[in-house]
Amino acid sequence: MKYTVLTLFPEITDAFFANSIMAKAVDKGIITYQVINIRDYAQDKHHTCDDAPYGGGPGMLMLSEPLGRALEAAGAKKGVSHPFKPRVIYLTPSGRPFNQALAKELAGEDELILLCGRYEGIDQRIIDRYVDDEISIGDYVLSSGEAAALVIIDATYRLVDQVITSESLDEESFSGGLLEYPQFTRPEVYDTMRVPEVLLSGHHANIRRWRLEKRVEKTLALRPDLIRRGEEAGLFDEETVSIIEELRKNERNKGD
Ligand code: ADE
């Protein structure tokens, strides 16, 4: 996977690629990256990258010309049908919501170009010509796209083949439509709080069952929307469905 980040603040994203697991993946050649400073593609004396919007309104917009040149330098292609086209993503609060399913989809690409906005956004013509996906990392407004680009890079690179073991991915949050089970390490008793007995039992089948029950319990309590969506998509196996039913029954009985 190759990531190219287009930004006015390259030092923000540079640091991320030096972090431990990412650095290992880069060393092994599984991940490659390039950070492009959009300002290097502004051709006037002051390297201007922004101007006021036509039609008035608050704030400044990023200029199309430096952005267009930076995108071309990154290998972005005009239009949609090109056999070796990197997928171009523009980070914006008005994009489609980012989630684990989209992370998996993007992790399957050969190359992502992440375009980080500043100010009030970018000229629409750049979006129309080059951008494949407008993506938001949540319903809040950040001061710029760099933090959002890092979220997308972090969530996707770890899903790229060989970056981390598949066992670590199997039971983490969102896999199979459930949140992760609670985890414990030494000591057995921390300030009077004991590790659940089952985890000390060495009984693998019981431990597996306990963890599944905890995943369902936690997801029902914190993210009932995930359970509903999983049910609609037929995502859950028989055992999980019966645990959901059991917990719902207990909940109803409590209310009676
Ligand atoms: N830029 C500013 N806010 C953002 C958000 N919520 N998601 C993605 N990019 C952004």
Side-chain angles (χ1 to χ4, degrees):
M1 162 73 89
K2 176 176 180 188
Y3 294 101
T4 301
V5 184
L6 271 68
T7 168
L8 286 170
F9 297 90
E11 58 286 357
I12 299 177
T13 46
D14 272 341
F16 183 80
F17 287 101
N19 98 65
S20 61
I21 304 173
M22 172 61 102
K24 267 190 216 137
V26 170
D27 278 349
K28 285 191 204 151
I30 304 166
I31 304 288
T32 57
Y33 73 95
Q34 182 185 13
V35 182
I36 291 181
N37 187 343
I38 298 164
R39 206 170 289 286
D40 292 343
Y41 293 86
Q43 289 179 334
D44 66 320
K45 194 169 75 194
H46 301 291
H47 298 283
T48 311
C49 284
D50 62 315
D51 208 336
Y54 281 123
M60 303 288 265
L61 289 184
M62 285 171 81
L63 292 169
S64 53
E65 286 165 334
L67 278 175
R69 281 190 287 267
L71 280 159
E72 292 281 337
K77 306 282 186 283
K78 295 176 182 144
V80 283
S81 58
H82 193 286
F84 308 111
K85 196 181 158 338
R87 189 150 163 184
V88 180
I89 294 167
Y90 171 49
L91 288 317
T92 167
S94 61
R96 81 194 248 222
F98 187 61
N99 58 23
Q100 191 68 12
L102 184 51
K104 279 196 187 134
E105 184 189 322
L106 296 178
E109 296 283 343
D110 292 331
E111 191 172 345
L112 297 178
I113 295 179
L114 297 140
L115 174 55
C116 305
R118 277 259 158 174
Y119 317 114
E120 293 298 312
I122 69 177
D123 189 300
Q124 181 62 36
R125 290 167 292 185
I126 288 294
I127 298 174
D128 295 344
R129 176 152 289 176
Y130 291 102
V131 171
D132 298 303
D133 301 84
E134 294 178 73
I135 297 181
S136 164
I137 60 156
D139 291 343
Y140 39 77
V141 179
L142 304 168
S143 56
S144 71
E146 282 77 12
L150 291 182
V151 166
I152 292 192
I153 294 167
D154 198 344
T156 54
Y157 91 92
R158 53 194 300 287
L159 301 176
V160 170
D161 265 358
Q162 301 165 44
V163 172
I164 49 180
T165 61
S166 60
E167 301 90 82
S168 322
L169 300 176
D170 280 347
E171 296 202 332
E172 68 182 14
S173 289
F174 307 115
S175 72
L178 296 172
L179 301 178
E180 197 173 19
Y181 50 78
Q183 308 232 56
F184 302 85
T185 183
R186 286 180 302 130
E188 267 181 47
V189 183
Y190 164 66
D191 197 17
T192 75
M193 301 159 83
R194 290 196 67 79
V195 171
E197 216 46 56
V198 63
L199 299 179
L200 309 173
S201 69
H203 192 302
H204 295 300
N206 288 355
I207 293 172
R208 191 200 60 79
R209 172 75 187 193
W210 180 87
R211 286 180 166 163
L212 180 60
E213 284 172 3
K214 289 293 166 192
R215 294 186 74 189
V216 174
E217 207 177 290
K218 187 166 182 190
T219 314
L220 266 172
L222 300 181
R223 294 293 306 275
D225 56 308
L226 287 180
I227 299 277
R228 269 196 307 278
R229 263 191 275 156
E231 286 175 325
E232 278 160 24
L235 207 63
F236 303 132
D237 60 15
E238 229 173 273
E239 188 182 14
T240 306
V241 169
S242 81
I243 296 172
I244 296 171
E245 278 167 10
E246 189 64 24
L247 287 168
R248 281 190 178 136
K249 203 168 79 195
N250 292 348
E251 217 28 58
R252 276 196 302 274
N253 290 344
K254 257 196 248 160
D256 289 344

